[in-house]
């Protein structure tokens, strides 16, 4: 440790009190005081994280600021508060808990780093990483001479030089990963390069930091040599012994099954033992946890399961204690006078100049465009606080403020200089709907799913969509929607997916590494359908942007979304997650193409049905309007499959119907009623032409005089396999149909088919045809409910809603 003062340890505290009724003050005892401290830290850090969310700042910023506010820089100026809530006698307990949390956090950081990715690092990323270390490291050594001559007199020269170089040159890998994910640039060229360079940077910096700590432990060169040799031996031992042990554990923990409690306990004990070993060697205990995390194989679900088991307690409770422990050492008031503030400005400018200039210059030499090079420089300047473990006093306060400032400015600067989301040229995006003049053109589908349970029905729907081999083909992009949360496990998902590509195209990934990829790859080989498995990791409130953006980049004609409810064993639909409903509604509102919501009741069963075994009946209900035409166009394509029969039921209003018996609701349609009727008749004429060529299509016109009569006819068709309906049919009949549906985004007919009163085993595909602007009735149906309106308003305040192109069909 680099320290200027010798601390006198106060008398130890008793663990528990006998209670206030026995005359004890709980704040004089270790356990109740620690509980109060933890609660204060967690509440304040979460509150700050919420307040900083509109600025798109990572949670580490809130935790650093919270630690500083609880310390002597802010609330700690009140000595009564400081001596009561954070008395010096509580520091040993607080520091022990903080360092325990830090030990396991470093284990999680090690889990996020895949050593194999370093071998795959290209020359460009390697050059950027070396430049991002070398220049700031050299400048950091220069700054250390200035600090030793002013406010850090008497510290050991060699370790202080190395530490200052590391503190200015390190890039906080976990913080950078979250910033990239939240800015949705993780899989752009800039994002991939930044992650690769940061991985190299992180490993090199931690090795140098271990060297600095080893040097700080002794003034004897012989002892320092022994520490370094023992540390190297420990790393080699872990590299050879740890992977086989955890591979065996992973084999005993199949995917989909919970990890055995014995393996979790064994892992925790191994991490603690490694921490003890490195502490005994003379290197900080946290390096032992980091090395174990790096050594664990990243293949399969085992590493992710470990993160989920450990992360909540560590990051939610114990890690924030490290930041408050650091905050108690950070007194901004010690930075006073021209000299101190000048040194703060010097450190910040040196850190920013070294990282940004070094990265930008080398990036330009590697022929990276200037805007991307500048964005890379800002991203590589991201700092954390874990690397500031060996300083205290005034120098520590300066370094904390430096880390806080450099990380805080990263997001706004990157947003200002780098805008990767370029919209597709209108001429390149020709087909935004399934209904088109030339039905033989290639159909592109973006099919989304939340879990492996959605995959069999999705593949069966794709099988039904193949059409005939005479067409130019079907192209499907299967997108796995994964939620980005505050958990480190989410960062681990991002780290795994970043090698794939947004969209995360799974090229170059071993098929055995993902059962979803295996399923789609098997279907691709058995059919003439191109399938590109993809992954999108987003926060729920912005997931629709990834879906719509991917559809536009891939020029999809339709987006298929899973319904937010799944079928129970008794046949009723049960909500999976309400958040998925909001995602679907916002996709319907902002999609650059047509949209279909699939209500899955086991379409084709729980497994993929081969083409030769397909035997399905699809019923298309046609009332009129663009959405119904789009649904029927999709059904006509499905009917080309030899194993599929299409039944088209067209509903017509009886001319003798009593007007009062039909609830009329005049809505703003897409065009006049005569124009819509003409388009419907023209389209139905095309369908009738196909019937003469394709015997698998059956057309039936039903003349009804009321909505109830129409519902009765729909019930007669309940034994089919799939219903195809438009989201917002046009006409008098649907005005009163199922007005009390709790899912207005499905429209009146879709709401009827999914209501508990309608008994059927058929799945339902509700289709909305693309249009440059939704009709007022269609748009209003997405805004039903005060809670949904409030969430929409909140989302619109947080992020700018993307515009929509005009219809080019």
């Amino acid at each position: 440790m680099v320290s200027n003062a010798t601390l006198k340890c106060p008398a130890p505290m008793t663990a528990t009190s006998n209670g206030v009724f026995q005359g004890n003050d709980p704040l004089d005892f270790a356990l109740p005081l620690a509980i109060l401290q933890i609660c204060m830290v967690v509440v304040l850090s979460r509150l700050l994280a919420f307040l900083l969310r509109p600025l798109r700042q990572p949670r580490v910023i809130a935790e650093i600021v919270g630690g500083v506010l609880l310390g002597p820089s802010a609330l700690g100026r009140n000595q009564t508060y400081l001596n009561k809530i954070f008395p010096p006698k509580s520091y040993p307990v607080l520091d022990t808990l903080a360092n325990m949390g830090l030990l396991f956090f470093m284990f999680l950081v090690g889990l996020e780093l895949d050593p194999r990715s370093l071998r795959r690092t290209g020359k460009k990323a390697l050059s950027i990483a070396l430049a991002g270390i070398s220049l700031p490291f050299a400048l950091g050594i220069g700054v250390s001479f200035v600090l030793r001559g002013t406010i850090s007199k008497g510290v050991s020269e060699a370790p202080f030089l190395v530490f200052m170089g590391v503190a200015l040159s390190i890039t906080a890998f976990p913080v950078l990963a979250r910033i990239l994910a939240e800015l949705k640039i993780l899989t752009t060229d800039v994002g991939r390069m930044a992650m690769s360079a940061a991985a190299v940077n992180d490993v090199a910096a931690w090795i140098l930091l271990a060297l600095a700590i080893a040097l700080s432990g002794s003034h004897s060169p012989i002892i320092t040599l022994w520490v370094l040799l023992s540390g190297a031996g420990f790393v080699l031992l872990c590299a050879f012994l740890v992977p086989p042990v955890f591979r065996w554990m992973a084999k005993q923990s199949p995917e989909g099954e919970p990890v055995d409690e014995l393996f979790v306990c064994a892992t925790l004990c191994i991490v603690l033992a490694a921490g003890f070993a490195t502490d005994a060697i003379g290197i900080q205990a946290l390096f032992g946890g980091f090395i174990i995390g790096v050594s664990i194989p990243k293949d399969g679900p085992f590493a992710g399961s470990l993160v989920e088991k450990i992360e909540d307690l560590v990051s939610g409770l114990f890690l924030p204690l490290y930041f408050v422990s650091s905050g108690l050492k950070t007194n901004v008031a010690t930075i006073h006078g021209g000299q101190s503030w000048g040194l703060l400005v010097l450190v910040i400018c040196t850190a920013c100049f070294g990282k940004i200039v070094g990265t930008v210059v080398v990036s330009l030499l590697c022929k990276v465009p200037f805007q991307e090079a500048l964005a890379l420089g800002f991203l590589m300047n991201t700092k954390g606080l874990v690397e500031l473990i060996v300083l205290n006093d005034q120098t520590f306060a300066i370094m904390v403020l430096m880390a806080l400032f450099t990380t805080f400015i990263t997001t706004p600067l990157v947003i200002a200089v780098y805008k990767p989301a370029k919209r597709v040229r209108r001429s390149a995006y020709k087909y935004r709907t399934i209904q088109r003049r030339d039905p033989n053109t290639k159909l592109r589908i973006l099919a989304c799913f939340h879990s492996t349970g959605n995959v069999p029905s999705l593949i069966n729907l794709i099988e039904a969509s193949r059409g005939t081999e005479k067409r130019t083909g079907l192209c499907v992009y299967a997108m796995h929607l994964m939620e980005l949360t505050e958990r480190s496990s989410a960062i681990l998902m991002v780290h795994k997916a970043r090698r794939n590509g947004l969209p995360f195209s799974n090229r170059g990934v071993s098929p055995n590494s993902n059962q979803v990829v295996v399923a789609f790859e098997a279907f691709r080989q058995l059919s003439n359908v191109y399938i590109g498995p993809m992954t999108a990791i987003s926060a729920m409130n912005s997931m629709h942007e990834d879906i719509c953006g991917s559809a536009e980049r891939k020029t999809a004609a339709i987006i298929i979304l899973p319904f937010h409810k799944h079928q129970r064993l008794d046949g009723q639909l049960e909500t999976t997650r309400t958040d998925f409903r909001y995602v679907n509604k916002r996709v319907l509102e902002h999609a650059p193409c047509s949209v279909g919501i699939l209500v899955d009741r086991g379409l084709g069963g729980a497994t993929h049905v081969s083409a030769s075994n397909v035997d399905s009946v699809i019923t298309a209900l046609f009332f009129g309007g663009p959405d119904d035409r789009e649904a029927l166009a999709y059904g006509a394509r499905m009917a080309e499959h030899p194993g599929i029969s299409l039944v088209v039921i067209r509903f017509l209003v009886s001319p003798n119907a009593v007007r009062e018996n039909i609830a009329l609701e005049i809505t703003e349609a897409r065009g006049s009623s005569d124009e819509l009727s003409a388009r419907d008749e023209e389209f139905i004429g095309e369908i009738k032409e196909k019937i003469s060529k394709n015997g698998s299509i059956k057309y039936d016109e039903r003349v009804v005089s009321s909505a109830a009569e129409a519902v009765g006819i729909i019930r007669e068709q309940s034994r089919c396999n799939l219903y195809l309906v438009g989201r917002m049919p046009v006409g008098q009949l649907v005005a009163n149909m199922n007005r009390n549906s709790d899912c207005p985004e499905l429209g009146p007919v879709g709401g009827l088919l999914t209501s508990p009163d309608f008994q059927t085993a058929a799945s339902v595909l509700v289709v909305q045809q693309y249009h440059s602007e939704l009709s007022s009735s269609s748009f209003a149906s997405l805004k039903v409910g005060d809670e949904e309106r409030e969430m929409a308003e909140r989302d619109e305040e947080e992020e700018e809603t993307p515009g929509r192109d005009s219809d080019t069909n």
Side-chain angles (χ1 to χ4, degrees):
M1 291 285 288
V2 178
S3 178
N4 290 324
T6 302
L7 297 176
K8 183 179 179 181
C9 191
M13 302 175 70
T14 306
T16 57
S17 72
N18 294 320
V20 293
F21 296 110
Q22 299 286 346
N24 290 155
D25 184 353
L27 298 183
D28 291 333
F29 297 85
L31 180 61
L33 182 58
I35 292 173
L36 178 62
Q37 290 171 343
I38 292 173
C39 291
M40 287 184 63
V41 170
V42 171
V43 170
L44 181 60
S45 62
R46 295 288 175 168
L47 177 62
L48 289 172
F50 176 76
L51 295 176
L52 291 172
R53 189 179 301 166
L55 300 177
R56 306 178 83 171
Q57 293 295 327
R59 198 173 74 187
V60 66
I61 291 290
E63 291 171 340
I64 294 174
V65 173
V68 173
L69 291 179
L70 290 172
S73 299
L75 296 176
R77 289 179 176 273
N78 185 324
Q79 288 299 316
T80 303
Y81 152 83
L82 195 61
N83 293 330
K84 200 67 177 175
I85 306 299
F86 293 101
K89 60 183 178 181
S90 71
Y91 288 1
V93 175
L94 186 64
D95 286 344
T96 300
L97 290 174
N99 281 281
M100 185 68 72
L102 188 61
L103 170 64
F104 284 107
F105 176 75
M106 289 307 300
F107 167 69
L108 297 177
V109 172
L111 273 178
E112 294 166 12
L113 284 174
D114 188 354
R116 293 176 303 176
S117 65
L118 302 183
R119 294 196 297 267
R120 292 191 294 266
T121 301
K123 293 181 180 179
K124 189 181 296 186
L126 184 61
S127 301
I128 292 172
L130 294 177
I133 294 175
S134 304
L135 183 57
F137 189 88
L139 294 176
I141 291 177
V143 169
S144 70
F145 286 108
V146 178
L147 294 177
R148 286 187 72 248
T150 52
I151 62 174
S152 298
K153 295 179 180 178
V155 297
S156 301
E157 182 177 0
F160 188 68
L161 296 182
V162 176
F163 171 76
M164 286 301 300
V166 171
L168 268 63
S169 62
I170 199 167
T171 298
F173 182 86
V175 181
L176 176 65
R178 179 156 299 285
I179 289 175
L180 291 171
E182 290 180 349
L183 293 181
K184 301 187 184 302
I185 59 174
L186 186 71
T187 53
T188 61
D189 290 340
V190 168
R192 284 194 292 267
M193 206 173 303
M195 289 293 283
S196 298
V200 176
N201 188 307
D202 229 25
V203 172
W206 283 111
I207 292 173
L208 291 172
L209 191 57
L211 173 63
I213 295 177
L215 291 172
S216 68
S218 172
H219 296 290
S220 169
I222 299 297
I223 294 178
T224 300
L225 180 62
W226 273 112
V227 169
L228 292 176
L229 290 176
S230 300
F234 173 80
V235 172
L236 291 174
L237 191 67
C238 290
F240 285 105
L241 293 183
V242 172
V245 171
F246 282 96
R247 284 196 191 97
W248 179 82
M249 290 185 184
K251 289 181 180 178
Q252 309 305 314
S253 306
E255 188 167 0
E257 298 292 330
V259 177
D260 196 308
E261 181 187 0
L262 177 63
F263 297 152
V264 177
C265 292
T267 302
L268 298 178
C269 289
I270 291 173
V271 173
L272 292 172
F276 176 84
T278 51
D279 188 79
I281 289 172
I283 305 175
Q284 291 263 345
L286 61 94
F287 283 98
F290 177 75
I291 295 300
I292 295 297
V294 171
S295 303
I296 292 178
K298 307 304 186 292
D299 297 330
F302 184 71
S305 298
L306 285 178
V307 172
E308 292 185 359
K309 293 282 187 180
I310 301 170
E311 200 276 338
D312 285 339
L313 187 64
V314 173
S315 286
L317 290 179
F318 291 119
L319 186 62
L321 290 181
Y322 170 74
F323 292 103
V324 76
S325 176
S326 301
L328 291 173
K329 304 173 192 173
T330 306
N331 189 355
V332 178
T334 61
I335 307 175
H336 57 83
Q339 182 189 68
S340 295
W341 286 105
L343 290 173
L344 173 61
V345 173
L346 173 66
V347 170
I348 291 176
C349 291
T350 304
C352 294
F353 179 84
K355 267 290 185 184
I356 297 173
V357 172
T359 302
V360 169
V361 170
V362 173
S363 299
L364 292 175
L365 292 176
C366 293
K367 298 182 179 180
V368 176
F370 178 73
Q371 282 189 327
E372 295 185 7
L374 199 57
L376 272 173
F378 294 143
L379 289 168
M380 296 300 289
N381 198 33
T382 303
K383 300 284 191 296
L385 197 57
V386 176
E387 63 269 17
L388 308 183
I389 58 177
V390 293
L391 282 183
N392 55 19
D393 302 329
Q394 189 173 352
T395 307
F396 185 83
I398 289 176
M399 300 306 292
V400 167
L401 292 180
M402 179 273 295
L404 190 62
F405 178 81
T406 55
T407 305
F408 189 88
I409 65 173
T410 298
T411 298
L413 287 178
V414 172
I415 291 175
V417 303
Y418 184 62
K419 296 177 175 59
K422 296 180 180 178
R423 302 183 70 83
V424 178
R425 289 181 293 113
R426 292 179 60 185
S427 59
Y429 201 168
K430 188 175 181 181
Y431 300 110
R432 296 175 183 265
T433 62
I434 294 177
Q435 183 189 356
R436 54 189 65 170
R437 295 186 182 91
D438 184 3
N440 292 320
T441 52
K442 178 179 287 188
L443 177 63
R444 295 176 179 270
I445 298 176
L446 177 64
C448 304
F449 61 97
H450 299 130
S451 65
T452 54
N454 305 133
V455 173
S457 295
L458 193 59
I459 290 180
N460 289 330
L461 182 64
I462 295 170
E463 169 65 39
S465 307
R466 287 171 59 187
T468 63
E469 295 184 2
K470 296 178 182 179
R471 292 182 182 270
T472 56
L474 174 66
C475 179
V476 179
Y477 299 96
M479 176 177 279
H480 189 183
L481 304 177
M482 304 178 75
E483 182 183 9
L484 176 68
T485 67
E486 291 287 351
R487 302 168 59 96
S488 289
S489 54
I491 299 176
L492 183 63
M493 288 192 298
V494 170
H495 178 66
K496 288 181 176 180
R498 74 178 180 86
R499 296 172 301 193
N500 309 334
L502 205 143
F504 297 111
S505 176
N506 284 337
R507 292 187 299 266
V509 179
S510 171
N512 298 324
S513 63
N514 189 317
Q515 65 183 43
V516 174
V517 177
V518 171
F520 285 118
E521 179 65 19
F523 175 73
R524 186 190 66 79
Q525 293 178 356
L526 292 171
S527 64
N528 294 324
V529 178
Y530 169 80
I531 294 193
M534 298 151 53
T535 306
I537 303 179
S538 311
M540 279 294 181
N541 63 356
S542 63
M543 187 172 285
H544 68 282
E545 294 182 1
D546 284 349
I547 297 172
C548 296
S550 297
E552 189 156 11
R553 279 186 289 272
K554 296 299 183 182
T555 61
I558 189 170
I559 301 170
I560 304 294
L561 299 170
F563 191 44
H564 71 278
K565 294 183 180 182
H566 68 277
Q567 188 177 34
R568 300 188 312 217
L569 293 177
D570 61 0
Q572 295 299 315
L573 294 173
E574 181 179 52
T575 299
T576 305
R577 275 190 62 177
T578 308
D579 291 344
F580 292 147
R581 180 187 184 186
Y582 299 133
V583 172
N584 289 355
K585 294 176 78 170
R586 293 185 72 79
V587 171
L588 286 168
E589 186 177 342
H590 300 292
C593 59
S594 296
V595 181
I597 298 180
L598 177 63
V599 183
D600 182 20
R601 289 192 175 106
L603 180 62
T607 59
H608 166 227
V609 180
S610 62
S612 58
N613 294 327
V614 172
D615 185 13
S616 301
V617 176
I618 296 176
T619 299
L621 305 177
F622 189 89
F623 292 87
D627 292 352
D628 278 19
R629 292 198 297 270
E630 184 76 352
L632 185 50
Y634 199 176
R637 183 183 178 99
M638 291 181 175
E640 296 174 3
H641 194 291
I644 292 178
S645 299
L646 175 66
V647 177
V648 182
I649 307 293
R650 186 187 185 189
F651 294 91
L652 299 173
V653 181
S654 171
N656 300 323
V658 181
R659 195 173 183 81
E660 286 75 18
N661 290 340
I662 301 177
L664 293 175
E665 183 173 311
I666 304 301
T667 60
E668 178 190 339
R670 301 168 194 169
S672 66
S673 58
D674 293 340
E675 185 180 349
L676 285 170
S677 178
R679 291 180 182 179
D680 288 345
E681 293 299 333
E682 180 184 356
F683 181 70
I684 290 295
E686 294 175 1
I687 295 298
K688 289 179 178 179
E689 287 182 13
K690 291 183 179 181
I691 294 175
S692 60
K693 302 176 183 177
N694 188 348
S696 62
I697 302 178
K698 178 184 176 183
Y699 178 80
D700 189 9
E701 287 187 353
R702 298 293 187 96
V703 180
V704 295
S705 57
S706 67
E709 189 177 343
V711 172
I713 294 173
I714 293 173
R715 291 183 186 276
E716 294 174 3
Q717 307 295 323
S718 61
R719 300 180 69 85
C720 65
N721 301 97
L722 176 69
Y723 279 107
L724 279 173
V725 298
R727 193 177 82 81
M728 294 299 293
V730 175
Q732 302 171 355
L733 287 174
V734 295
N736 253 359
M737 195 175 290
N738 202 40
R739 276 184 175 273
N740 298 324
S741 171
D742 62 344
C743 301
E745 71 273 14
L746 295 182
V749 182
L752 167 71
L753 296 175
T754 57
S755 66
D757 299 332
F758 193 90
Q759 299 297 320
T760 181
S763 298
V764 182
L765 183 63
V766 181
V767 179
Q768 172 183 282
Q769 188 178 67
Y770 170 76
H771 201 269
S772 58
E773 185 177 351
L774 294 181
S775 65
S776 61
S777 59
S778 182
F779 186 81
S781 68
L782 299 175
K783 298 295 182 183
V784 175
D786 292 337
E787 178 182 350
E788 294 154 338
R789 282 198 297 270
E790 290 174 3
M791 180 173 181
E793 290 171 1
R794 185 166 61 250
D795 290 345
E796 288 170 3
E797 289 175 359
E798 289 178 358
E799 299 184 16
E800 182 179 332
T801 303
R804 301 187 60 159
D805 289 341
S806 60
D807 190 357
T808 57
N809 283 326

